[in-house]
Short mmCIF file of all heavy atoms in Angstrom, two decimals:
data_model
loop_
_atom_site.label_atom_id
_atom_site.label_comp_id
_atom_site.label_asym_id
_atom_site.label_seq_id
_atom_site.Cartn_x
_atom_site.Cartn_y
_atom_site.Cartn_z
N VAL H 1 99.87 106.99 97.35
CA VAL H 1 99.72 106.32 98.64
C VAL H 1 98.42 105.53 98.60
O VAL H 1 97.37 106.08 98.30
CB VAL H 1 99.70 107.35 99.79
CG1 VAL H 1 99.50 106.65 101.12
CG2 VAL H 1 100.97 108.16 99.83
N HIS H 2 98.53 104.24 98.88
CA HIS H 2 97.37 103.36 98.89
C HIS H 2 97.11 102.88 100.31
O HIS H 2 98.05 102.46 100.99
CB HIS H 2 97.61 102.14 97.99
CG HIS H 2 98.01 102.48 96.60
ND1 HIS H 2 97.10 102.92 95.67
CD2 HIS H 2 99.21 102.46 95.99
CE1 HIS H 2 97.74 103.15 94.53
NE2 HIS H 2 99.02 102.88 94.70
N ALA H 3 95.88 102.93 100.75
CA ALA H 3 95.51 102.39 102.06
C ALA H 3 95.14 100.93 101.89
O ALA H 3 94.40 100.57 100.98
CB ALA H 3 94.34 103.17 102.64
N GLN H 4 95.71 100.09 102.77
CA GLN H 4 95.39 98.66 102.78
C GLN H 4 95.20 98.25 104.22
O GLN H 4 96.18 98.08 104.96
CB GLN H 4 96.52 97.84 102.17
CG GLN H 4 96.41 97.63 100.69
CD GLN H 4 97.39 96.56 100.22
OE1 GLN H 4 98.43 96.33 100.82
NE2 GLN H 4 97.05 95.91 99.13
N GLY H 5 93.96 98.13 104.64
CA GLY H 5 93.69 97.77 106.03
C GLY H 5 94.23 98.82 106.97
O GLY H 5 93.87 99.99 106.86
N ASP H 6 95.11 98.42 107.86
CA ASP H 6 95.68 99.36 108.84
C ASP H 6 97.05 99.88 108.41
O ASP H 6 97.81 100.37 109.24
CB ASP H 6 95.75 98.74 110.23
CG ASP H 6 96.70 97.54 110.28
OD1 ASP H 6 97.06 97.02 109.21
OD2 ASP H 6 97.07 97.14 111.40
N THR H 7 97.37 99.77 107.12
CA THR H 7 98.66 100.26 106.64
C THR H 7 98.48 101.12 105.39
O THR H 7 97.47 101.05 104.70
CB THR H 7 99.62 99.11 106.29
OG1 THR H 7 99.05 98.33 105.24
CG2 THR H 7 99.92 98.23 107.48
N TYR H 8 99.49 101.93 105.13
CA TYR H 8 99.59 102.68 103.89
C TYR H 8 100.77 102.12 103.11
O TYR H 8 101.76 101.70 103.71
CB TYR H 8 99.85 104.17 104.17
CG TYR H 8 98.70 104.88 104.82
CD1 TYR H 8 98.81 105.34 106.12
CD2 TYR H 8 97.52 105.12 104.13
CE1 TYR H 8 97.75 106.00 106.73
CE2 TYR H 8 96.47 105.78 104.72
CZ TYR H 8 96.59 106.21 106.02
OH TYR H 8 95.54 106.87 106.63
N GLN H 9 100.67 102.13 101.79
CA GLN H 9 101.76 101.66 100.94
C GLN H 9 102.05 102.64 99.83
O GLN H 9 101.14 103.22 99.25
CB GLN H 9 101.41 100.31 100.30
CG GLN H 9 101.63 99.12 101.18
CD GLN H 9 101.54 97.83 100.39
OE1 GLN H 9 100.98 97.77 99.31
NE2 GLN H 9 102.10 96.78 100.94
N VAL H 10 103.33 102.79 99.55
CA VAL H 10 103.81 103.54 98.39
C VAL H 10 104.63 102.55 97.57
O VAL H 10 105.49 101.86 98.12
CB VAL H 10 104.68 104.74 98.82
CG1 VAL H 10 105.23 105.47 97.60
CG2 VAL H 10 103.90 105.68 99.72
N VAL H 11 104.34 102.44 96.28
CA VAL H 11 105.03 101.47 95.42
C VAL H 11 105.70 102.23 94.27
O VAL H 11 105.10 103.12 93.68
CB VAL H 11 104.02 100.44 94.86
CG1 VAL H 11 104.71 99.46 93.94
CG2 VAL H 11 103.32 99.72 95.99
N ALA H 12 106.95 101.87 93.99
CA ALA H 12 107.69 102.51 92.90
C ALA H 12 108.50 101.46 92.15
O ALA H 12 109.10 100.58 92.75
CB ALA H 12 108.62 103.59 93.45
N ASP H 13 108.53 101.59 90.82
CA ASP H 13 109.34 100.70 89.99
C ASP H 13 110.74 101.30 89.84
O ASP H 13 110.92 102.31 89.18
CB ASP H 13 108.70 100.55 88.61
CG ASP H 13 109.52 99.67 87.68
OD1 ASP H 13 110.53 99.08 88.12
OD2 ASP H 13 109.15 99.57 86.49
N VAL H 14 111.69 100.68 90.49
CA VAL H 14 113.09 101.13 90.42
C VAL H 14 113.98 100.01 89.87
O VAL H 14 115.15 99.89 90.23
CB VAL H 14 113.60 101.62 91.81
CG1 VAL H 14 112.92 102.91 92.21
CG2 VAL H 14 113.40 100.55 92.88
N SER H 15 113.39 99.20 88.97
CA SER H 15 114.08 98.01 88.46
C SER H 15 115.34 98.33 87.66
O SER H 15 116.21 97.47 87.50
CB SER H 15 113.12 97.17 87.62
OG SER H 15 112.59 97.94 86.55
N GLN H 16 115.46 99.55 87.15
CA GLN H 16 116.65 99.91 86.37
C GLN H 16 117.84 100.31 87.25
O GLN H 16 118.91 100.61 86.73
CB GLN H 16 116.31 101.01 85.36
CG GLN H 16 115.94 102.33 85.97
CD GLN H 16 114.44 102.47 86.27
OE1 GLN H 16 113.75 101.49 86.52
NE2 GLN H 16 113.95 103.67 86.24
N PHE H 17 117.66 100.28 88.57
CA PHE H 17 118.72 100.67 89.50
C PHE H 17 119.15 99.50 90.37
O PHE H 17 118.36 98.60 90.63
CB PHE H 17 118.24 101.82 90.40
CG PHE H 17 117.85 103.05 89.64
CD1 PHE H 17 116.53 103.28 89.32
CD2 PHE H 17 118.80 103.96 89.22
CE1 PHE H 17 116.15 104.41 88.60
CE2 PHE H 17 118.43 105.08 88.50
CZ PHE H 17 117.11 105.30 88.19
N GLU H 18 120.39 99.52 90.81
CA GLU H 18 120.90 98.53 91.74
C GLU H 18 120.52 98.95 93.17
O GLU H 18 120.44 100.15 93.45
CB GLU H 18 122.42 98.42 91.62
CG GLU H 18 122.90 97.87 90.28
CD GLU H 18 122.40 96.46 90.03
OE1 GLU H 18 122.44 95.63 90.95
OE2 GLU H 18 121.96 96.20 88.89
N PRO H 19 120.32 98.01 94.09
CA PRO H 19 119.93 98.36 95.46
C PRO H 19 120.81 99.43 96.14
O PRO H 19 120.27 100.33 96.78
CB PRO H 19 119.98 97.03 96.20
CG PRO H 19 119.65 96.03 95.14
CD PRO H 19 120.32 96.56 93.88
N PRO H 20 122.14 99.40 95.98
CA PRO H 20 122.94 100.44 96.64
C PRO H 20 122.71 101.85 96.08
O PRO H 20 123.06 102.84 96.72
CB PRO H 20 124.39 100.02 96.39
CG PRO H 20 124.33 98.60 95.99
CD PRO H 20 122.99 98.39 95.36
N ASP H 21 122.11 101.93 94.89
CA ASP H 21 121.87 103.22 94.25
C ASP H 21 120.56 103.88 94.68
O ASP H 21 120.26 104.99 94.27
CB ASP H 21 121.85 103.06 92.73
CG ASP H 21 123.15 102.49 92.18
OD1 ASP H 21 124.19 102.69 92.84
OD2 ASP H 21 123.13 101.85 91.12
N ILE H 22 119.78 103.19 95.53
CA ILE H 22 118.45 103.66 95.92
C ILE H 22 118.49 104.16 97.36
O ILE H 22 118.96 103.45 98.25
CB ILE H 22 117.41 102.53 95.78
CG1 ILE H 22 117.42 101.99 94.35
CG2 ILE H 22 116.02 103.02 96.18
CD1 ILE H 22 116.72 100.66 94.20
N VAL H 23 118.00 105.38 97.58
CA VAL H 23 117.96 105.96 98.92
C VAL H 23 116.53 106.38 99.23
O VAL H 23 115.89 107.08 98.44
CB VAL H 23 118.89 107.19 99.02
CG1 VAL H 23 118.79 107.84 100.39
CG2 VAL H 23 120.32 106.79 98.71
N VAL H 24 116.02 105.93 100.38
CA VAL H 24 114.68 106.30 100.82
C VAL H 24 114.83 107.07 102.13
O VAL H 24 115.50 106.60 103.06
CB VAL H 24 113.79 105.06 101.04
CG1 VAL H 24 112.41 105.46 101.56
CG2 VAL H 24 113.67 104.25 99.76
N THR H 25 114.22 108.26 102.20
CA THR H 25 114.27 109.06 103.43
C THR H 25 112.85 109.46 103.82
O THR H 25 111.96 109.56 102.98
CB THR H 25 115.12 110.33 103.25
OG1 THR H 25 114.61 111.09 102.15
CG2 THR H 25 116.57 109.99 102.98
N THR H 26 112.66 109.67 105.12
CA THR H 26 111.38 110.15 105.62
C THR H 26 111.62 111.36 106.51
O THR H 26 112.63 111.44 107.21
CB THR H 26 110.63 109.07 106.44
OG1 THR H 26 111.44 108.70 107.55
CG2 THR H 26 110.32 107.86 105.60
N SER H 27 110.68 112.30 106.45
CA SER H 27 110.76 113.49 107.28
C SER H 27 109.39 114.15 107.33
O SER H 27 108.81 114.43 106.27
CB SER H 27 111.79 114.47 106.70
OG SER H 27 111.80 115.66 107.44
N ASN H 28 108.87 114.37 108.52
CA ASN H 28 107.59 115.07 108.70
C ASN H 28 106.48 114.51 107.82
O ASN H 28 105.82 115.24 107.09
CB ASN H 28 107.76 116.57 108.43
CG ASN H 28 108.71 117.22 109.42
OD1 ASN H 28 108.81 116.79 110.56
ND2 ASN H 28 109.42 118.22 108.98
N CYS H 29 106.28 113.21 107.87
CA CYS H 29 105.24 112.52 107.09
C CYS H 29 105.45 112.62 105.58
O CYS H 29 104.52 112.46 104.80
CB CYS H 29 103.85 113.00 107.47
SG CYS H 29 103.31 112.35 109.05
N HIS H 30 106.67 112.90 105.13
CA HIS H 30 107.01 112.89 103.71
C HIS H 30 107.98 111.74 103.46
O HIS H 30 108.87 111.49 104.27
CB HIS H 30 107.68 114.19 103.28
CG HIS H 30 106.74 115.34 103.17
ND1 HIS H 30 106.38 116.10 104.24
CD2 HIS H 30 106.06 115.83 102.10
CE1 HIS H 30 105.53 117.04 103.85
NE2 HIS H 30 105.33 116.89 102.56
N VAL H 31 107.81 111.07 102.34
CA VAL H 31 108.73 110.02 101.93
C VAL H 31 109.37 110.47 100.63
O VAL H 31 108.69 110.95 99.72
CB VAL H 31 108.00 108.68 101.71
CG1 VAL H 31 108.93 107.65 101.11
CG2 VAL H 31 107.40 108.17 102.99
N ALA H 32 110.69 110.34 100.55
CA ALA H 32 111.42 110.69 99.32
C ALA H 32 112.22 109.48 98.86
O ALA H 32 112.92 108.85 99.66
CB ALA H 32 112.34 111.87 99.56
N ILE H 33 112.09 109.16 97.59
CA ILE H 33 112.85 108.07 96.97
C ILE H 33 113.77 108.71 95.94
O ILE H 33 113.31 109.47 95.08
CB ILE H 33 111.92 107.07 96.26
CG1 ILE H 33 110.85 106.54 97.20
CG2 ILE H 33 112.74 105.93 95.65
CD1 ILE H 33 109.71 105.84 96.49
N GLN H 34 115.05 108.42 96.05
CA GLN H 34 116.01 108.93 95.09
C GLN H 34 116.91 107.78 94.64
O GLN H 34 117.38 107.00 95.46
CB GLN H 34 116.87 110.04 95.70
CG GLN H 34 116.07 111.27 96.06
CD GLN H 34 116.93 112.35 96.67
OE1 GLN H 34 117.65 112.11 97.62
NE2 GLN H 34 116.85 113.54 96.10
N ALA H 35 117.12 107.69 93.35
CA ALA H 35 118.01 106.67 92.79
C ALA H 35 118.81 107.30 91.67
O ALA H 35 118.33 108.18 90.96
CB ALA H 35 117.21 105.48 92.28
N GLU H 36 120.05 106.83 91.55
CA GLU H 36 120.95 107.41 90.55
C GLU H 36 121.84 106.32 89.99
O GLU H 36 122.45 105.57 90.74
CB GLU H 36 121.78 108.50 91.22
CG GLU H 36 122.55 109.38 90.30
CD GLU H 36 123.19 110.52 91.07
OE1 GLU H 36 124.27 110.31 91.64
OE2 GLU H 36 122.61 111.61 91.09
N LYS H 37 121.89 106.22 88.68
CA LYS H 37 122.77 105.25 88.02
C LYS H 37 123.94 106.02 87.44
O LYS H 37 123.77 106.98 86.69
CB LYS H 37 122.03 104.52 86.91
CG LYS H 37 122.85 103.38 86.31
CD LYS H 37 122.13 102.75 85.14
CE LYS H 37 120.93 101.98 85.60
NZ LYS H 37 120.30 101.20 84.50
N VAL H 38 125.16 105.62 87.82
CA VAL H 38 126.37 106.30 87.38
C VAL H 38 127.11 105.39 86.40
O VAL H 38 127.34 104.21 86.67
CB VAL H 38 127.27 106.65 88.59
CG1 VAL H 38 128.53 107.35 88.13
CG2 VAL H 38 126.51 107.52 89.59
N ALA H 39 127.47 105.94 85.26
CA ALA H 39 128.21 105.19 84.24
C ALA H 39 129.64 104.97 84.70
O ALA H 39 130.11 105.59 85.66
CB ALA H 39 128.18 105.95 82.92
N GLU H 40 130.36 104.11 84.00
CA GLU H 40 131.75 103.80 84.37
C GLU H 40 132.65 105.02 84.30
O GLU H 40 133.63 105.10 85.03
CB GLU H 40 132.29 102.69 83.47
CG GLU H 40 131.69 101.35 83.77
CD GLU H 40 132.32 100.23 82.97
OE1 GLU H 40 133.44 100.43 82.44
OE2 GLU H 40 131.70 99.17 82.87
N ASP H 41 132.31 106.00 83.45
CA ASP H 41 133.14 107.20 83.36
C ASP H 41 132.78 108.24 84.42
O ASP H 41 133.35 109.33 84.43
CB ASP H 41 133.06 107.82 81.96
CG ASP H 41 131.67 108.32 81.62
OD1 ASP H 41 130.74 108.18 82.45
OD2 ASP H 41 131.50 108.88 80.51
N GLY H 42 131.83 107.90 85.31
CA GLY H 42 131.47 108.80 86.41
C GLY H 42 130.32 109.74 86.12
O GLY H 42 129.91 110.50 87.00
N THR H 43 129.77 109.70 84.92
CA THR H 43 128.64 110.56 84.61
C THR H 43 127.33 109.90 85.04
O THR H 43 127.21 108.68 85.03
CB THR H 43 128.56 110.88 83.10
OG1 THR H 43 128.43 109.65 82.39
CG2 THR H 43 129.80 111.62 82.63
N VAL H 44 126.38 110.72 85.42
CA VAL H 44 125.06 110.22 85.81
C VAL H 44 124.27 109.95 84.54
O VAL H 44 124.07 110.84 83.72
CB VAL H 44 124.33 111.24 86.71
CG1 VAL H 44 122.92 110.77 87.02
CG2 VAL H 44 125.11 111.49 87.99
N CYS H 45 123.84 108.71 84.36
CA CYS H 45 123.14 108.36 83.12
C CYS H 45 121.65 108.11 83.33
O CYS H 45 120.90 108.03 82.36
CB CYS H 45 123.80 107.15 82.45
SG CYS H 45 123.87 105.68 83.45
N ASP H 46 121.20 108.02 84.58
CA ASP H 46 119.77 107.82 84.84
C ASP H 46 119.48 108.22 86.28
O ASP H 46 120.27 107.94 87.18
CB ASP H 46 119.39 106.36 84.61
CG ASP H 46 117.89 106.15 84.47
OD1 ASP H 46 117.13 107.14 84.46
OD2 ASP H 46 117.48 104.98 84.37
N THR H 47 118.35 108.90 86.48
CA THR H 47 117.95 109.28 87.83
C THR H 47 116.46 109.00 88.02
O THR H 47 115.69 108.93 87.06
CB THR H 47 118.19 110.78 88.12
OG1 THR H 47 117.42 111.55 87.21
CG2 THR H 47 119.65 111.14 88.02
N PHE H 48 116.06 108.84 89.27
CA PHE H 48 114.67 108.65 89.64
C PHE H 48 114.45 109.40 90.94
O PHE H 48 115.23 109.24 91.88
CB PHE H 48 114.35 107.17 89.84
CG PHE H 48 112.95 106.91 90.32
CD1 PHE H 48 111.91 106.77 89.42
CD2 PHE H 48 112.67 106.80 91.67
CE1 PHE H 48 110.61 106.53 89.86
CE2 PHE H 48 111.39 106.56 92.12
CZ PHE H 48 110.36 106.42 91.21
N THR H 49 113.42 110.23 90.98
CA THR H 49 113.07 110.95 92.20
C THR H 49 111.56 110.93 92.35
O THR H 49 110.83 111.19 91.40
CB THR H 49 113.55 112.42 92.14
OG1 THR H 49 114.96 112.44 91.92
CG2 THR H 49 113.24 113.16 93.42
N HIS H 50 111.10 110.59 93.54
CA HIS H 50 109.67 110.62 93.82
C HIS H 50 109.49 111.05 95.27
O HIS H 50 110.16 110.53 96.16
CB HIS H 50 109.04 109.24 93.60
CG HIS H 50 107.58 109.22 93.85
ND1 HIS H 50 106.67 109.78 92.98
CD2 HIS H 50 106.86 108.75 94.90
CE1 HIS H 50 105.45 109.63 93.48
NE2 HIS H 50 105.55 109.00 94.64
N LYS H 51 108.60 111.99 95.48
CA LYS H 51 108.28 112.44 96.84
C LYS H 51 106.78 112.36 97.02
O LYS H 51 106.02 112.64 96.09
CB LYS H 51 108.73 113.89 97.05
CG LYS H 51 110.23 114.07 97.00
CD LYS H 51 110.60 115.51 97.21
CE LYS H 51 112.12 115.65 97.09
NZ LYS H 51 112.56 117.01 97.27
N CYS H 52 106.36 111.97 98.21
CA CYS H 52 104.93 111.95 98.51
C CYS H 52 104.72 112.21 99.99
O CYS H 52 105.62 112.00 100.81
CB CYS H 52 104.28 110.64 98.09
SG CYS H 52 104.82 109.21 99.01
N GLN H 53 103.52 112.69 100.30
CA GLN H 53 103.17 112.96 101.69
C GLN H 53 102.30 111.82 102.19
O GLN H 53 101.31 111.46 101.55
CB GLN H 53 102.45 114.29 101.81
CG GLN H 53 102.10 114.61 103.26
CD GLN H 53 101.58 116.01 103.42
OE1 GLN H 53 101.57 116.79 102.48
NE2 GLN H 53 101.15 116.34 104.61
N LEU H 54 102.66 111.29 103.36
CA LEU H 54 101.84 110.25 103.98
C LEU H 54 100.70 110.93 104.74
O LEU H 54 100.83 112.07 105.19
CB LEU H 54 102.69 109.42 104.95
CG LEU H 54 103.80 108.60 104.30
CD1 LEU H 54 104.69 107.99 105.38
CD2 LEU H 54 103.24 107.52 103.41
N PRO H 55 99.57 110.24 104.88
CA PRO H 55 98.45 110.81 105.64
C PRO H 55 98.85 111.13 107.08
O PRO H 55 99.79 110.54 107.63
CB PRO H 55 97.40 109.71 105.59
CG PRO H 55 97.72 108.95 104.34
CD PRO H 55 99.22 108.97 104.26
N GLU H 56 98.12 112.05 107.69
CA GLU H 56 98.47 112.52 109.04
C GLU H 56 98.38 111.45 110.11
O GLU H 56 99.04 111.56 111.14
CB GLU H 56 97.60 113.71 109.42
CG GLU H 56 97.94 114.96 108.63
CD GLU H 56 97.16 116.17 109.11
OE1 GLU H 56 96.60 116.14 110.22
OE2 GLU H 56 97.12 117.15 108.36
N ASP H 57 97.56 110.40 109.89
CA ASP H 57 97.44 109.36 110.91
C ASP H 57 98.48 108.26 110.77
O ASP H 57 98.37 107.20 111.35
CB ASP H 57 96.04 108.77 110.93
CG ASP H 57 95.68 108.02 109.65
OD1 ASP H 57 96.33 108.25 108.61
OD2 ASP H 57 94.73 107.21 109.70
N THR H 58 99.54 108.51 110.01
CA THR H 58 100.64 107.55 109.85
C THR H 58 101.53 107.56 111.08
O THR H 58 101.86 108.62 111.62
CB THR H 58 101.50 107.92 108.63
OG1 THR H 58 100.67 107.92 107.47
CG2 THR H 58 102.64 106.94 108.43
N ASP H 59 101.93 106.37 111.55
CA ASP H 59 102.90 106.25 112.63
C ASP H 59 104.29 106.41 112.01
O ASP H 59 104.75 105.53 111.30
CB ASP H 59 102.76 104.89 113.30
CG ASP H 59 103.79 104.66 114.40
OD1 ASP H 59 104.62 105.56 114.67
OD2 ASP H 59 103.76 103.57 115.01
N PRO H 60 104.98 107.54 112.27
CA PRO H 60 106.26 107.78 111.59
C PRO H 60 107.35 106.77 111.94
O PRO H 60 108.27 106.56 111.15
CB PRO H 60 106.64 109.19 112.04
CG PRO H 60 105.86 109.43 113.28
CD PRO H 60 104.61 108.62 113.17
N LEU H 61 107.22 106.11 113.08
CA LEU H 61 108.24 105.13 113.47
C LEU H 61 108.02 103.77 112.83
O LEU H 61 108.86 102.88 112.96
CB LEU H 61 108.27 104.99 115.00
CG LEU H 61 108.63 106.26 115.76
CD1 LEU H 61 108.57 106.02 117.26
CD2 LEU H 61 110.01 106.76 115.35
N SER H 62 106.90 103.60 112.13
CA SER H 62 106.60 102.30 111.54
C SER H 62 106.97 102.21 110.06
O SER H 62 106.76 101.18 109.43
CB SER H 62 105.09 102.02 111.67
OG SER H 62 104.35 102.85 110.79
N VAL H 63 107.54 103.25 109.49
CA VAL H 63 107.85 103.25 108.06
C VAL H 63 108.98 102.26 107.77
O VAL H 63 110.02 102.27 108.43
CB VAL H 63 108.24 104.67 107.58
CG1 VAL H 63 108.62 104.65 106.11
CG2 VAL H 63 107.09 105.65 107.82
N SER H 64 108.74 101.40 106.79
CA SER H 64 109.77 100.43 106.37
C SER H 64 109.67 100.26 104.87
O SER H 64 108.67 100.64 104.26
CB SER H 64 109.57 99.09 107.08
OG SER H 64 108.35 98.50 106.68
N CYS H 65 110.71 99.70 104.27
CA CYS H 65 110.65 99.47 102.83
C CYS H 65 111.30 98.14 102.47
O CYS H 65 112.17 97.64 103.18
CB CYS H 65 111.27 100.62 102.04
SG CYS H 65 112.98 100.94 102.36
N THR H 66 110.83 97.61 101.35
CA THR H 66 111.30 96.33 100.83
C THR H 66 111.49 96.48 99.33
O THR H 66 110.68 97.10 98.66
CB THR H 66 110.26 95.23 101.09
OG1 THR H 66 109.97 95.18 102.48
CG2 THR H 66 110.78 93.87 100.65
N LEU H 67 112.56 95.89 98.82
CA LEU H 67 112.81 95.86 97.39
C LEU H 67 112.62 94.44 96.91
O LEU H 67 113.31 93.52 97.36
CB LEU H 67 114.23 96.36 97.09
CG LEU H 67 114.61 96.47 95.63
CD1 LEU H 67 113.73 97.50 94.93
CD2 LEU H 67 116.08 96.86 95.49
N THR H 68 111.67 94.23 95.98
CA THR H 68 111.42 92.89 95.47
C THR H 68 112.49 92.52 94.44
O THR H 68 113.20 93.39 93.94
CB THR H 68 110.03 92.79 94.80
OG1 THR H 68 110.04 93.57 93.60
CG2 THR H 68 108.92 93.26 95.74
N GLU H 69 112.56 91.25 94.12
CA GLU H 69 113.53 90.79 93.11
C GLU H 69 113.24 91.39 91.74
O GLU H 69 114.13 91.56 90.93
CB GLU H 69 113.53 89.26 93.03
CG GLU H 69 114.24 88.62 94.19
CD GLU H 69 114.42 87.13 93.99
OE1 GLU H 69 114.49 86.68 92.83
OE2 GLU H 69 114.51 86.42 95.00
N ALA H 70 111.98 91.75 91.50
CA ALA H 70 111.59 92.34 90.21
C ALA H 70 111.91 93.83 90.14
O ALA H 70 111.72 94.46 89.11
CB ALA H 70 110.10 92.13 89.97
N GLY H 71 112.40 94.40 91.26
CA GLY H 71 112.78 95.81 91.25
C GLY H 71 111.68 96.76 91.68
O GLY H 71 111.75 97.96 91.40
N THR H 72 110.68 96.25 92.37
CA THR H 72 109.61 97.09 92.88
C THR H 72 109.92 97.45 94.33
O THR H 72 110.14 96.57 95.16
CB THR H 72 108.25 96.37 92.81
OG1 THR H 72 108.01 96.00 91.45
CG2 THR H 72 107.13 97.25 93.31
N LEU H 73 109.95 98.74 94.62
CA LEU H 73 110.18 99.23 95.97
C LEU H 73 108.83 99.42 96.64
O LEU H 73 107.96 100.13 96.11
CB LEU H 73 110.94 100.55 95.93
CG LEU H 73 111.30 101.17 97.28
CD1 LEU H 73 112.30 100.30 98.02
CD2 LEU H 73 111.86 102.56 97.08
N VAL H 74 108.62 98.77 97.79
CA VAL H 74 107.36 98.87 98.52
C VAL H 74 107.66 99.50 99.88
O VAL H 74 108.39 98.95 100.68
CB VAL H 74 106.71 97.49 98.72
CG1 VAL H 74 105.39 97.62 99.46
CG2 VAL H 74 106.49 96.81 97.38
N ILE H 75 107.10 100.69 100.10
CA ILE H 75 107.25 101.40 101.37
C ILE H 75 105.95 101.24 102.13
O ILE H 75 104.86 101.51 101.59
CB ILE H 75 107.56 102.89 101.14
CG1 ILE H 75 108.87 103.01 100.34
CG2 ILE H 75 107.65 103.64 102.46
CD1 ILE H 75 109.14 104.40 99.83
N THR H 76 106.04 100.78 103.36
CA THR H 76 104.86 100.50 104.18
C THR H 76 104.93 101.31 105.46
O THR H 76 106.00 101.43 106.06
CB THR H 76 104.78 98.99 104.52
OG1 THR H 76 104.87 98.24 103.30
CG2 THR H 76 103.51 98.64 105.24
N ALA H 77 103.78 101.84 105.88
CA ALA H 77 103.68 102.56 107.15
C ALA H 77 102.35 102.20 107.80
O ALA H 77 101.34 102.08 107.11
CB ALA H 77 103.77 104.07 106.92
N ARG H 78 102.38 102.02 109.11
CA ARG H 78 101.15 101.68 109.84
C ARG H 78 100.34 102.94 110.17
O ARG H 78 100.92 103.99 110.42
CB ARG H 78 101.47 100.94 111.14
CG ARG H 78 101.64 99.45 110.90
CD ARG H 78 101.76 98.70 112.21
NE ARG H 78 103.09 98.11 112.25
CZ ARG H 78 104.05 98.44 113.07
NH1 ARG H 78 103.87 99.38 113.97
NH2 ARG H 78 105.21 97.86 113.01
N ARG H 79 99.04 102.76 110.21
CA ARG H 79 98.17 103.83 110.69
C ARG H 79 98.18 103.80 112.22
O ARG H 79 98.34 102.74 112.81
CB ARG H 79 96.75 103.63 110.19
CG ARG H 79 96.64 103.67 108.69
CD ARG H 79 95.31 103.14 108.25
NE ARG H 79 94.50 104.22 107.70
CZ ARG H 79 93.38 104.04 107.06
NH1 ARG H 79 92.91 102.82 106.90
NH2 ARG H 79 92.71 105.06 106.58
N ARG H 80 97.98 104.96 112.83
CA ARG H 80 97.92 105.01 114.30
C ARG H 80 96.62 104.43 114.79
O ARG H 80 95.61 104.51 114.20
CB ARG H 80 98.04 106.45 114.79
CG ARG H 80 99.40 107.00 114.56
CD ARG H 80 99.52 108.36 115.14
NE ARG H 80 100.65 109.02 114.50
CZ ARG H 80 100.93 110.28 114.64
NH1 ARG H 80 100.18 111.05 115.37
NH2 ARG H 80 101.97 110.81 114.04
#
């Protein structure tokens, strides 16, 4: 978690996954990123999981995420 001015950011490289394969969830100031690549035969061939705790002064309703064209997932949350 990086502080930038009045926001916090979490950055993850998920370039090996397609956007529909990436799930971001938040709960109690925790952010979880999960991604799974499934082969044509239905087997899971690659996974990514990352969990982190946001600082206590994070506004939980301000959490948002963006996926860049290069495959970088940027999760942003405002400080209270």
